[in-house]
Amino acid sequence: MREGRGSSLLHLLVILLSLIAFGFAIAAERRRSHGTVEHDIHTNTTYCAYSSDIATGYGVGGFLFLLSSESLLMGVTKCMCFGRPLTPGNSRAWTIIYFLSSWVTFLVAEACLIAGATKNAYHTRYLHGQHFSCENLRKGVFIAGAIFVLINMTLNIYYYMYFSKATSSQSEAPKGSHTTPTVGMAGYRKN
């Protein structure tokens, strides 16, 4: 492991899990259920018949993969609070910024994915009277989740990179610039 770069395996796992979550979110958007008004002649009722409920599974899958990506990274970094202290400096500032941004985008992405999956699952069969429409899941909910998944992945990569720099044992001073501090001026003589 090179100093300040972090584990390549962790980078790869975070990217892989996030890309799988992204794929599930895109698949969920493409397979959203659509409702059509149906009339049952035997019972003389009108209802909405929705297409396949597969988008719910895709949305939940995206939710779980993104959750596992975030959990893995936060487990390794001990959520930035419980592990080694961060050394003061530029890397610590960027670590905190990326940490907070990562959590915000994670929460937004998870909210989009779970809300889309829940709303999609809610559409099964509704009985109604004269004026009704078959409500569909708003287009773009899963796409918004997918976009935030990608943003979260990018922020997580930078968070871990700066976290590794901020927790490394070396300071950010360039190598080879070790100076010996002098307390007094021994050997100084005025003629």
Side-chain angles (χ1 to χ4, degrees):
M1 178 171 89
R2 282 186 235 141
E3 179 189 334
R5 299 274 324 256
S7 168
S8 297
L9 179 61
L10 183 66
H11 281 280
L12 183 66
L13 284 173
V14 167
I15 290 170
L16 183 66
L17 290 171
S18 296
L19 288 178
I20 292 171
F22 174 77
F24 273 121
I26 295 297
E29 179 67 29
R30 294 191 59 151
R31 300 293 303 267
R32 287 181 302 121
S33 46
H34 300 283
T36 57
V37 178
E38 300 286 329
H39 184 72
D40 189 355
I41 56 174
H42 300 305
T43 61
N44 197 25
T45 56
T46 306
Y47 62 93
C48 281
Y50 286 93
S51 59
S52 171
D53 194 30
I54 192 81
T56 300
Y58 287 149
V60 170
F63 175 88
L64 293 175
F65 274 100
L66 184 60
L67 180 64
S68 61
S69 171
E70 192 78 9
S71 299
L72 174 69
L73 183 62
M74 292 306 145
V76 168
T77 63
K78 296 180 182 151
C79 219
M80 192 180 70
C81 303
F82 302 109
R84 294 174 59 186
L86 303 176
T87 56
N90 197 23
S91 293
R92 180 169 77 175
W94 282 110
T95 300
I96 293 168
I97 290 168
Y98 284 125
F99 175 79
L100 294 174
S101 302
S102 167
W103 271 101
V104 168
T105 58
F106 168 73
L107 293 173
V108 170
E110 291 286 64
C112 288
L113 292 173
I114 203 66
T118 304
K119 185 83 170 168
N120 195 71
Y122 183 69
H123 299 307
T124 53
R125 183 176 181 168
Y126 299 103
L127 300 174
H128 203 312
Q130 294 175 325
H131 296 64
F132 82 97
S133 65
C134 293
E135 217 179 293
N136 290 326
L137 174 63
R138 184 180 193 99
K139 189 175 185 177
V141 173
F142 287 118
I143 292 295
I147 290 169
F148 277 101
V149 166
L150 289 180
I151 294 169
N152 178 260
M153 177 186 73
T154 305
L155 291 172
N156 279 342
I157 291 168
Y158 281 111
Y159 161 66
Y160 184 61
M161 186 174 67
Y162 280 101
F163 176 83
S164 298
K165 286 180 185 179
T167 57
S168 65
S169 60
Q170 299 285 332
S171 67
E172 292 182 3
K175 293 181 181 177
S177 66
H178 299 287
T179 59
T180 308
T182 57
V183 176
M185 295 174 32
Y188 177 78
R189 206 188 318 181
K190 191 173 185 175
N191 291 336

